Amino acid sequence: MNKEDQVLMGFRDLYNKLVWLNKDKMEESLKGYKPSEVHCIEYIEKNVDSNVTKLAEYFYMTRGAISKLTQKLIQKGLIESYQKSENKKEIYFRLTEQGKVIYKIHEDLHKEFQERDKAVFEQVTEAQFESMLSFVAKYNRHLDAEIKKQGIDMKPE
């Protein structure tokens, strides 16, 4: 296996292990909520004036799919919609108190997982971090260029 394959397999393997290792605790703590719902809640809490367009762009989903997702979250009492007085056309979202509880549970789990894995990151030198971040940025730019070259519209609808 060449080095490119080793790197890609390594990323895939790391991701799959993280998902597998965290899955039971996530599902137990966030029972009744799909990962897409929890991540939507997370985005809304961290980004002021979240709307369908911003959510669709961030999650690489259509606006229609995001509309369905946000409607479910409204029905579950986790988010609410609002409008600004200067823009009655656009609808924005914010968390309800119940949504903030789910957000906090999710954040606490992430902190717990980070704490579990802290020993590995403490051994990484600044130069190693810079090298990894540089590679990720370079690969991201390459993929963006490939997407553009193929004419794939990553922006929703």
Side-chain angles (χ1 to χ4, degrees):
M1 186 182 318
N2 67 33
K3 287 184 180 182
E4 291 171 26
D5 289 339
Q6 288 175 346
V7 168
L8 291 174
M9 291 292 289
F11 279 142
R12 191 174 305 126
D13 206 29
L14 275 172
Y15 176 78
N16 288 338
K17 284 177 185 175
L18 275 171
V19 169
W20 182 82
L21 195 55
N22 299 347
K23 186 177 190 273
D24 287 345
K25 192 137 197 184
M26 283 282 201
E27 287 178 353
E28 177 187 316
S29 300
L30 296 164
K31 200 175 210 79
Y33 301 103
K34 296 177 181 173
S36 59
E37 293 172 334
V38 175
H39 290 129
C40 189
I41 288 168
E42 178 184 37
Y43 182 89
I44 290 169
E45 179 63 16
K46 290 182 176 180
N47 296 275
V48 178
D49 295 335
S50 297
N51 59 23
V52 168
T53 301
K54 288 179 184 177
L55 287 161
E57 287 175 1
Y58 181 78
F59 289 110
Y60 298 101
M61 293 170 68
T62 65
R63 290 195 316 252
I66 291 295
S67 290
K68 285 180 183 177
L69 178 56
T70 53
Q71 283 307 309
K72 274 187 184 177
L73 293 174
I74 288 170
Q75 288 169 359
K76 289 183 175 187
L78 300 170
I79 66 171
E80 60 188 9
S81 62
Y82 67 94
Q83 293 177 306
K84 294 181 178 181
S85 57
E86 70 272 9
N87 181 358
K88 291 291 185 188
K89 184 182 173 198
E90 192 63 54
I91 295 172
Y92 302 95
F93 304 105
R94 64 180 159 233
L95 299 187
T96 62
E97 287 307 312
Q98 188 180 348
K100 288 179 181 182
V101 169
I102 298 303
Y103 171 80
K104 174 114 175 62
I105 292 168
H106 185 243
E107 284 301 296
D108 289 347
L109 286 170
H110 274 288
K111 286 177 186 163
E112 179 183 324
F113 300 150
Q114 282 179 316
E115 192 62 34
R116 175 197 67 207
D117 300 338
K118 190 177 183 177
V120 173
F121 289 97
E122 288 174 341
Q123 297 173 35
V124 177
T125 67
E126 193 62 33
Q128 289 171 323
F129 270 124
E130 289 304 319
S131 180
M132 287 185 279
L133 292 170
S134 174
F135 171 76
V136 168
K138 186 181 291 188
Y139 198 17
N140 248 315
R141 286 190 302 272
H142 165 73
L143 293 176
D144 287 341
E146 285 299 310
I147 288 165
K148 189 174 184 178
K149 190 165 64 175
Q150 291 183 24
I152 299 170
D153 185 11
M154 294 303 279
K155 299 291 183 210
E157 297 169 353

